[in-house]
Each structure stands twice: as structure tokens, then as C-alpha cells.
Amino acid sequence: MPLLSKAWRMILSYIVIASLWVFFSDGMLNALGLTSAQQEQLQLFKGLSFILVTAALLFLLVRNYQRINRRATEALLRSEKRLRNALEAAEDGMWDWHLSSQILYCSQGYAALLGMTQAPPQAEADYWLQRVHPDDRENLERELNKCIANRDTAPFQRSFRQLHTNGQYRLIQFRGRLLLDTKQRPERLLGTASDVTQRRKDEESLRMSAVVFDTTQEGVLVTGVDKRIVHCNPAFIRITGYSMAEILGQSPSMLKSGRHDKSFYQAIWSSVNASGTWSGEIWNRRKSGEIYPQWQCIRVIYGEHGEITHYVAVFSDISLLKRSQRELDYLAHYDPLSNLPNRLLFTERVEHALKLAHSEQRNGAVLLIDLDHFKHINESLGHDIGDLLLKDVAERLNQQLAPRMTLARLGGDEFGLLYETCSNAEQAAVQAQHLLNCLAQPYQVAGRELFVTASIGISLFPDDICDASQILRNADSALFKAKNSGRENYAFYTQELTEHARQHVELASALRYALDNQQLRVYYQPLLCLKREQVIGVEALVRWQHPTRGLVPPGEFIPIAEETGLIAAIDAWVLEQACRQMVLWRDQANGLLFVAVNVSSRLFGRGELDQRVAQVLQDTGLDPAFLELEITESAVMDNPKAAQALLERLRDLGIRLAIDDFGTGYSSLARLKRLPVHKLKLDQSFVNGLPHDHDDVAITRSVVALGHSLGLTVLAEGVEHAEQAELLKQLGCDLVQGYFYGRPVPAEHLQLTHMVDVHP
Ligand code: C2E
Ligand code: MG
Ligand code: MG
């Protein structure tokens, strides 16, 4: 418009100036008074000059116009190039839709988006619309038409799929606006087009990732390079109990459980630094303070240039998993009814015990316990009652367990007992009998009194057995024998063992009966002074007057008494008998100076022997000077410190002490020197060989010399011949004891003078 008005102004000015010139110049010529020829010439000259000036003016105008036009064109080209470059750089295209002609001009860039090397110069709009995906086309047309109808010149943005030359659809985004002509009629739609297929995919995958991040059951924790928490997901909050505000900016070390040491975390970070990742089990602590196991995976996030930007830890709470693993493990290894180990676990334990037995050269036993006629209970009272009874049986058996025993329910009414500290058949038999007695007691089940007995099969190991299954097989066949021999019984794998062990157990219970029913006797054997050949004391030796077997020697029942603990009662009884007898003898003034009583090493080891002895002395009224206790060498040397203290307390009571069976243990001379004993009793095994066995002679000589040098009296046990007595006399032995002088006899048969007379 300004350009136009300027043109008009110039033309008007020209018309005015030219008209004035024509008008005034002719007047001036007339005023000059020239001749007509001169005027004619001047008129010609004026006309030519006018043309010349006008032409010059025109030239200037045209040149100026051309310059302006060229500049504008150049500027337009530059700006077009810039636009093209910008669009190319953005990988975008341009489109221009002339509504009146329905021609849609598309830039080269747009064509390239759809895989075309050359854009059709001025294709109809329909050409492009046909390439829009049928599902999107109608929608797009409607949107554009609406915009046109509403003369809506606001920028718009639409996305639709358009066909690529490779046959696939690309997602194209149009941004543009409607242009109106001077009369405000819709003239053109114009804008840019860009391929947003990848961007949309990226957005979608980002959106999906965000959903996964938010909804996953795994806790996710992101830290910066400085190992400060920058992000976490809802699962993290749920698992740890911390809120987002509490955790952001903190160090993950606030989650530590304290269960792992420094080296554990160092190993994690060295793995992360070396390989960019670590995964494993780790214990952390919740806000509540509870510690729990996680399966955690740590990864490094690298930036564009390979630098570490973040660390991500993804973890799952595996405490439930662990618990169910434990539960599964429990179910696999335990019997749900009795809560005892099942056959699988029992076999594993037996296997393990067998290995230990081999390596430590120890013995053990497996007892298979099977209830007798349990089927009848199930059939007559129902399985519920049967189950309750089984539970009671399991409980009762369980209460009988000592350390290193494993009880298992092997199935049905069969239980297994692994007895790892069982050193021999007798012990196993005692245990079996004990269990049988326990099980035979009545049960109270659902208001009923029930009775059930059991049979037990016993297998000992290692005894050439190389695997657990063989131990169980042997025990099984032993059980079969026990069942066959009338039930409520036990049996070993071999007949001999069964017999032997049974006798042993029978003996044990018979011994208890013997003690309570006065079947034990005390015999006395004289001890003589060799020099004077005079009986100066006696040794009290216990005997068992068995109703059917006759007189049983102590060697057969003392070990059983020791095993069953009955020895304490026996020794106490013998001590009392001996003391009473000695009081009688003292009253008779028969010249006996002491009675010697044997003390079991078991009892000696217990320590309270001195109180027991003091009590008996008090009860019987015997002067302590007339009592001698015989303690075996091994009992003293097994625990020398305790023995020393106990012997000192005993000596302080005023009694005498002798070391029995001297030479069979491993006495330390240094210790022997300090022991408060009065006598050494040389074991009869050395006396046996006298006088011909040179070694025995040498030993006897040494023991006599040793005893004397320590200020002790020396007694030789088991003297059976005159030559032995003769040699012992020559060697300087003080006292003797043996069949040569007199066998152990009841008190009333002891003839002191007779013996001296017989052996002058
Ligand atoms: P010991 O204390 O060494 O007793 C000596 C044993 O040698 C006695 O055997 C005795 O009868 C036997 N004896 C004595 N003279 C001769 C002989 O000339 N030749 C042979 N071959 N043997 C002879 P006994 O009475 O069978 O006692 C065996 C062991 O039983 C005793 O050995 C003692 O350790 C233990 N014992 C005996 N009575 C008791 C007791 O009341 N309590 C405890 N704890 N142990 C006892
Ligand atoms: Mg003795
Ligand atoms: Mg002895």
C-alpha cells in the first residue's frame, strides 16, 4: 500500500511537473519573441530535451525498481534457503494447500519423509490425502474442514499415519494454520510436517517404563554418582517403610542391616566397578527395624560419553520365599504329625554319624522301634485316635532323649532312634529296654486309657557297615526277629549279640534286685605283714549270692553296676558293712589293724566321697584309723588335680589310703610323690610271673624301691606260691595278699591265727 501510494505520488508529481513544463515552456518561448523558424527549432529542441529528461528519469526509476526487486528476491531466496535448511535440519517438511485450487504444494523434505526422492511439483491435495491411513483419513479431513469452516486461524497440530514408499505407515505430525485472504475468506492451509514415528515409540516405551517402574513388585532405587538416593519407586517405599521424602538425598547405607561386614560391601563395589553389575543376596533393615533378605541387582548407568551417571539397585524382598523354602524344607524333612524328623532326614543323620564313627573311631547304634499290633488300634478305634496315640508315643520317646540322640518317625507306627554315643551292645540294650518300659506305661487318649507295647531292632555301627541304608536294613531284620520272638522285646542283628546284651540287661535289673534283697555279701581276704608273717588287715570284697547262678564274682557285675550307676549304692553298702564288721573285730581285739575297702573309679571321680565316708564312720562309730580305702591307679591319674584334693580331704578324715592295682596305670612319679597315700598295692599281674619272669622280678624290685623311697608301704597282690612269698620277702616287700595266705571268705570264717600257723 505505501508502495502504491508512492507510485501514485510520483506519477501525479510527474503529470504536474510535465504539464507545468509544457504549459510554461511554450509561454516562455512565445515571450522570447523569437522567429517562428527559431521557435520551431527551439520547440524541437525542447521536445527532444523533454524526451531525454523523461527517459533519464524513467531509466533511474526502472533501475531503482530493479535494484529493489533484486534485493527483495535475494532476501526471499535467502530466507527460503534458511527455512529449507532449518526444515532439513529438523528433518521436517513443508506443505501449502491452496484451498481454491485444491493444489497442495509439498516441499522436498516432506516428500523425503514418505520415502520419495522427488516431490510431485503441484499435486492435488487428494494425492496426499490418499496416502493417509484409511482409519485416520476421515478424522483428519473432518478436523481440517472444521478449521476451515470456522475460519479458525489459531495454530493447529494433528498427527496421522501416512504411507511410506516402503509400504509401511509413518506417523506424521502436521503443524500449521489457516490463512485468510483480504476478504477474510479461507485461502490457504500452510504448515510443517514431521515424522514423529520414533518419537511416539520412544514416548510410548517411556510411558510403559514409567508404568513398570511404578507398578513393579521389585523395589527400585536410583542414586547419583555421589551415591545419594535420587529416585525410588512405590515398591521400594512399600518394602522399606520409608517415605519418598525420608529417603531422597540419603545414602543407601541407612538401609544396612549390620549383618554383613565391611569386606562384603567392598566385594559388591569392586564387582560393580569392574563389570558394571552385581547381583546377590543381601540383608537389609526396614524402617521398623526388622531385618530381611533381599535379592538385589545393582547396575551402573553410563552417560553419553561413557561416564558413570547413576547407579540403579533393583531388589525383591525374599523373606517370604525364604520362609516358604524353610517350610518346604521342613515338610521334606519332618513328619507333620509328630514334628519329628522323617525317614529322609533320619537317613542323612545316620549317614553323617557313620562317617563320624569311621573318622573318630567311635561306635553308635540305630534302634528301630515299632509298635506292636498298632493296626488293631486303628481298626477298632479309628485313625483319629490312632494318630493321637502316635503323637503321645512320639512325645514320650522324645522325652527320653539324651544329647546326640536323634528320634525320627520313619512312617506309620515305626520310629527310629540314632544313638551316636552308644559304645557297645550293652548300652544299646539298656536304652532299648528303657524305651520299652517307658512305652508300656498306659496312655490317656481322648478320655480313654490305652496300652501299647513296642518291639525294637538294633543295629550297631560301624562294624563293617559302610552305608546308612545297610544300617537300617540290619535294624529292620533285627526288628523282624524281635517281633518273631514274641514282641515287646528287642533284638540285635546277630543272635550272639542279642543273647549277650539280653543277659547284660537282665543282670543289671537282677543286680538292683540283689541290692534291695540282701543278695550281696562282703567277703574278707587277709593282708599280712611279710616280716612278722602276721595278718594285720583285711580287704573287703563284694560277692553276689545269686539264687540260681551261685556266688558271682565282682568282675562280672561291678562293670554293670558302674554303667547303670548302681555302683554308688553297692560301694556305700560294702563300706558300711566293712566298717560295722571292723567295729566288731575291734571289740573282739583280734589284732586286725585295718579293713581295706575298694572304691569305684566312677565314684571317686564324682568328688563327694569324703562326705560319704565321714557319714559312714559316724554312723558305724569306727575309728577312722582302722579304715583304708583302695583307689585304683587309673582313677587317680585320670584327673590328678581333683584326685589330689579329694585324697587330701580323705586323709584329713584320718583314714588310710592305698593305690590299688599299681603298675597297670600310667602314674607320673612327680604326681605320685605329692599324693597323700600310705600304700601301693602292686597288681597281681606282676606277682604272677614271680620268681621266674625276669621282667616281673625287675618291676617288683623297682616298685618296692620306689614305694620305700616315697615313704610308702608296698603290698603285693595275688601271692599264690611259697617261692613268690620268699622272693617278695627278699625284695623287701612289706605286705602280701593272696590265696597262698587265704582266700576271701565271709567274716565269720576268717581265721586269723590259723593262717599264721599254716604259713610260719
Ligand atoms: P582288687 O581290689 O584288686 O581285689 C583283689 C582281687 O584279687 C580280688 O578279686 C581277690 O579275690 C583276688 N585275689 C586275691 N588273692 C588272689 C590270688 O592269690 N590269686 C588270684 N588269682 N586272685 C586273687 P575279686 O574279689 O574277684 O575282686 C575283683 C575286683 O573287683 C577287685 O580287685 C576290686 O577292684 C573289685 N571289687 C571287689 N569288691 C569291690 C567292692 O566292694 N567295690 C568296688 N568298687 N570294687 C570291688
Ligand atoms: Mg582292692
Ligand atoms: Mg588289686
Side-chain angles (χ1 to χ4, degrees):
M1 190 72 178
L3 248 176
L4 200 68
S5 61
K6 195 177 171 189
W8 275 114
R9 267 203 310 273
M10 281 173 72
I11 287 167
L12 282 175
S13 310
Y14 175 75
I15 292 170
V16 170
I17 293 167
S19 304
L20 286 175
W21 171 257
V22 170
F23 193 68
F24 286 109
S25 61
D26 283 352
M28 274 164 53
L29 278 183
N30 288 337
L32 283 174
L34 295 174
T35 63
S36 56
Q38 280 175 316
Q39 267 193 0
E40 222 169 270
Q41 273 181 338
L42 212 55
Q43 198 73 19
L44 182 71
F45 176 74
K46 185 180 74 116
L48 286 174
S49 327
F50 183 80
I51 291 169
L52 214 65
V53 169
T54 322
L57 270 174
L58 192 64
F59 170 75
L60 284 173
L61 270 173
V62 169
R63 206 183 62 168
N64 194 35
Y65 170 76
Q66 276 179 333
R67 195 183 300 144
I68 289 170
N69 204 23
R70 197 172 60 245
R71 276 200 200 131
T73 312
E74 275 172 9
L76 190 66
L77 281 175
R78 269 203 304 279
S79 107
E80 244 183 31
K81 195 175 173 197
R82 258 203 309 277
L83 180 65
R84 204 168 45 245
N85 285 346
L87 289 171
E88 267 171 22
E91 294 186 336
D92 283 354
M94 210 199 77
W95 53 273
D96 185 358
W97 185 352
H98 291 255
L99 297 174
S100 54
S101 64
Q102 284 296 314
I103 294 291
L104 183 74
Y105 164 78
C106 281
S107 73
Q108 196 55 46
Y110 188 180
L113 293 183
L114 301 180
M116 300 174 189
T117 45
Q118 189 79 46
Q122 285 189 338
E124 291 202 351
D126 206 40
Y127 171 83
W128 297 105
L129 281 172
Q130 284 310 315
R131 302 187 75 85
V132 175
H133 193 284
D135 293 350
D136 297 346
R137 195 181 304 146
E138 198 181 316
N139 213 5
L140 175 69
E141 280 177 332
R142 196 175 48 244
E143 297 268 333
L144 293 178
N145 287 338
K146 199 167 113 193
C147 173
I148 295 164
N150 294 343
R151 300 180 185 197
D152 183 358
T153 54
F156 65 80
Q157 181 178 312
R158 299 284 175 275
S159 300
F160 52 87
R161 286 163 288 173
Q162 211 166 10
L163 191 61
H164 192 275
T165 50
N166 65 9
Q168 289 178 347
Y169 282 93
R170 308 292 299 176
L171 188 70
I172 303 294
Q173 188 178 61
F174 261 21
R175 286 158 181 272
R177 59 183 295 187
L178 175 72
L179 297 186
L180 303 177
D181 63 9
T182 45
K183 291 181 182 157
Q184 300 298 308
R185 283 178 310 206
E187 185 187 25
R188 292 155 72 194
L189 279 165
L190 178 92
T192 58
S194 40
D195 185 338
V196 293
T197 316
Q198 190 56 43
R199 199 202 311 161
R200 183 62 60 88
K201 271 189 193 158
D202 291 349
E203 278 170 7
E204 259 167 29
S205 83
L206 264 180
R207 227 182 0 260
M208 278 187 316
S209 302
V211 171
V212 172
F213 184 81
D214 284 348
T215 55
T216 181
Q217 293 304 303
E218 263 98 39
V220 182
L221 175 76
V222 186
T223 75
V225 224
D226 57 355
K227 311 222 175 102
R228 295 267 150 201
I229 300 169
V230 294
H231 200 26
C232 64
N233 71 343
F236 174 94
I237 288 164
R238 182 174 45 75
I239 295 172
T240 63
Y242 287 103
S243 71
M244 188 78 102
E246 285 170 318
I247 206 81
L248 289 184
Q250 301 295 328
S251 158
S253 63
M254 72 185 282
L255 305 167
K256 277 184 182 176
S257 66
R259 256 182 92 135
H260 307 292
D261 58 8
K262 220 170 157 192
S263 62
F264 177 81
Y265 295 102
Q266 276 168 352
I268 291 180
W269 285 109
S270 62
S271 161
V272 170
N273 293 334
S275 62
T277 171
W278 176 86
S279 56
E281 195 181 305
I282 185 168
W283 284 77
N284 271 344
R285 190 179 292 277
R286 299 188 217 273
K287 189 184 174 188
S288 64
E290 180 198 351
I291 67 168
Y292 65 105
Q294 296 181 341
W295 182 262
Q296 190 168 104
C297 184
I298 301 178
R299 277 193 86 110
V300 173
I301 301 182
Y302 295 103
E304 262 179 69
H305 308 294
E307 79 285 8
I308 295 177
T309 60
H310 295 89
Y311 297 98
V312 180
V314 179
F315 62 87
S316 42
D317 179 349
I318 55 170
S319 45
L320 279 178
L321 189 77
K322 285 235 157 190
R323 195 173 310 150
S324 54
Q325 242 172 18
R326 265 203 308 277
E327 276 161 13
L328 275 181
D329 198 49
Y330 188 84
L331 282 180
H333 289 99
Y334 286 84
D335 162 48
L337 178 74
S338 61
N339 282 331
L340 292 175
N342 63 10
R343 184 178 284 275
L344 183 67
L345 182 56
F346 186 69
T347 313
E348 279 173 22
R349 297 244 174 115
V350 172
E351 197 81 62
H352 182 249
L354 183 63
K355 270 194 203 131
L356 273 185
H358 274 300
S359 65
E360 292 175 13
Q361 292 179 343
R362 284 193 292 105
N363 298 317
V366 165
L367 282 70
L368 284 194
I369 306 153
D370 194 281
L371 302 185
D372 297 329
H373 304 300
F374 183 71
K375 217 170 69 170
H376 297 337
I377 292 183
N378 265 343
E379 283 169 358
S380 56
L381 302 174
H383 283 82
D384 291 348
I385 300 282
D387 282 356
L388 288 175
L389 179 62
L390 281 175
K391 269 175 123 170
D392 280 5
V393 167
E395 221 161 86
R396 201 174 278 186
L397 287 173
N398 214 12
Q399 282 164 3
Q400 311 309 319
L401 297 192
R404 299 197 62 182
M405 282 188 185
T406 302
L407 179 69
R409 179 166 174 236
L410 305 181
D413 59 347
E414 190 176 275
F415 295 86
L417 177 73
L418 169 63
Y419 184 1
E420 286 188 64
T421 50
C422 175
S423 49
N424 52 42
E426 289 82 6
Q427 258 186 336
V430 168
Q431 181 67 29
Q433 189 57 56
H434 174 66
L435 294 180
L436 290 178
N437 296 343
C438 275
L439 292 177
Q441 303 302 312
Y443 296 83
Q444 298 298 328
V445 179
R448 276 200 182 82
E449 189 170 56
L450 296 180
F451 289 88
V452 66
T453 59
S455 302
I456 298 181
I458 307 170
S459 166
L460 301 173
F461 59 86
D463 285 355
D464 304 329
I465 294 179
C466 51
D467 62 25
S469 58
Q470 199 189 341
I471 298 179
L472 291 173
R473 270 202 310 277
N474 286 3
D476 212 40
S477 57
L479 179 64
F480 184 72
K481 278 186 215 163
K483 292 260 178 204
N484 272 353
S485 66
R487 299 176 197 258
E488 202 180 353
N489 221 330
Y490 62 85
F492 284 84
Y493 181 57
T494 61
Q495 192 57 40
E496 306 84 75
L497 265 182
T498 308
E499 271 316 308
H500 177 79
R502 182 153 298 138
Q503 272 179 17
H504 181 91
V505 173
E506 279 170 9
L507 213 62
S509 57
L511 186 58
R512 196 177 303 268
Y513 180 85
L515 183 66
D516 296 340
N517 293 276
Q518 291 81 42
Q519 289 182 3
L520 297 187
R521 306 275 180 274
V522 183
Y523 277 38
Y524 297 92
Q525 187 177 28
L527 313 181
L528 289 89
C529 166
L530 203 51
K531 218 185 275 169
R532 287 184 279 148
E533 295 203 336
Q534 190 182 343
V535 179
I536 57 162
V538 286
E539 179 176 359
L541 294 159
V542 70
R543 299 287 180 267
W544 178 6
Q545 188 64 56
H546 194 277
T548 52
R549 292 172 63 187
L551 204 62
V552 184
E556 280 187 35
F557 64 87
I558 291 283
I560 298 176
E562 286 184 332
E563 259 172 37
T564 54
L566 217 57
I567 191 69
I570 293 180
D571 274 4
W573 181 80
V574 173
L575 179 66
E576 198 180 322
Q577 296 297 310
C579 289
R580 279 192 205 293
Q581 185 58 53
M582 192 61 198
V583 170
L584 285 178
W585 280 326
R586 288 307 299 164
D587 291 346
Q588 293 165 10
N590 65 356
L592 282 181
L593 298 179
F594 64 91
V595 63
V597 178
N598 292 284
V599 176
S600 152
S601 55
R602 285 261 184 136
L603 214 60
F604 186 75
R606 276 207 226 150
E608 80 273 13
L609 182 64
D610 52 327
Q611 294 157 24
R612 223 175 250 253
V613 173
Q615 186 64 46
V616 174
L617 286 172
Q618 196 188 339
D619 292 351
T620 56
L622 180 68
D623 181 343
F626 300 117
L627 178 64
E628 184 167 294
L629 290 187
E630 294 190 6
I631 293 126
T632 58
E633 186 185 8
S634 52
V636 175
M637 292 303 161
D638 276 355
N639 188 356
K641 265 194 187 157
Q644 176 90 26
L646 178 58
L647 288 176
E648 278 168 9
R649 293 205 299 278
L650 287 168
R651 185 199 51 195
D652 293 346
L653 289 177
I655 61 172
R656 299 152 63 87
L657 297 166
I659 297 212
D660 204 356
D661 303 344
F662 188 75
T664 55
Y666 301 92
S667 284
S668 139
L669 292 183
R671 291 227 168 82
L672 193 61
K673 195 178 81 180
R674 288 200 298 272
L675 289 178
V677 295
H678 306 89
K679 192 180 284 171
L680 293 183
K681 292 188 77 173
L682 178 63
D683 191 69
Q684 53 178 281
S685 57
F686 303 109
V687 179
N688 274 345
L690 300 185
H692 307 296
D693 187 314
H694 297 304
D695 292 341
D696 284 349
V697 174
I699 289 169
T700 309
R701 181 181 288 122
S702 318
V703 171
V704 171
L706 174 77
H708 287 168
S709 70
L710 293 173
L712 305 175
T713 310
V714 179
L715 178 144
E717 291 180 329
V719 180
E720 294 182 351
H721 312 291
E723 303 113 289
Q724 290 172 329
E726 195 50 44
L727 180 64
L728 285 164
K729 204 174 192 175
Q730 282 172 25
L731 294 176
C733 185
D734 308 296
L735 306 176
V736 279
Q737 168 184 9
Y739 296 165
F740 180 59
Y741 298 103
R743 290 180 178 261
V745 287
E748 57 275 20
H749 295 163
L750 193 72
Q751 291 178 350
L752 306 169
T753 46
H754 168 75
M755 285 184 287
V756 179
D757 291 347
V758 170
H759 306 290

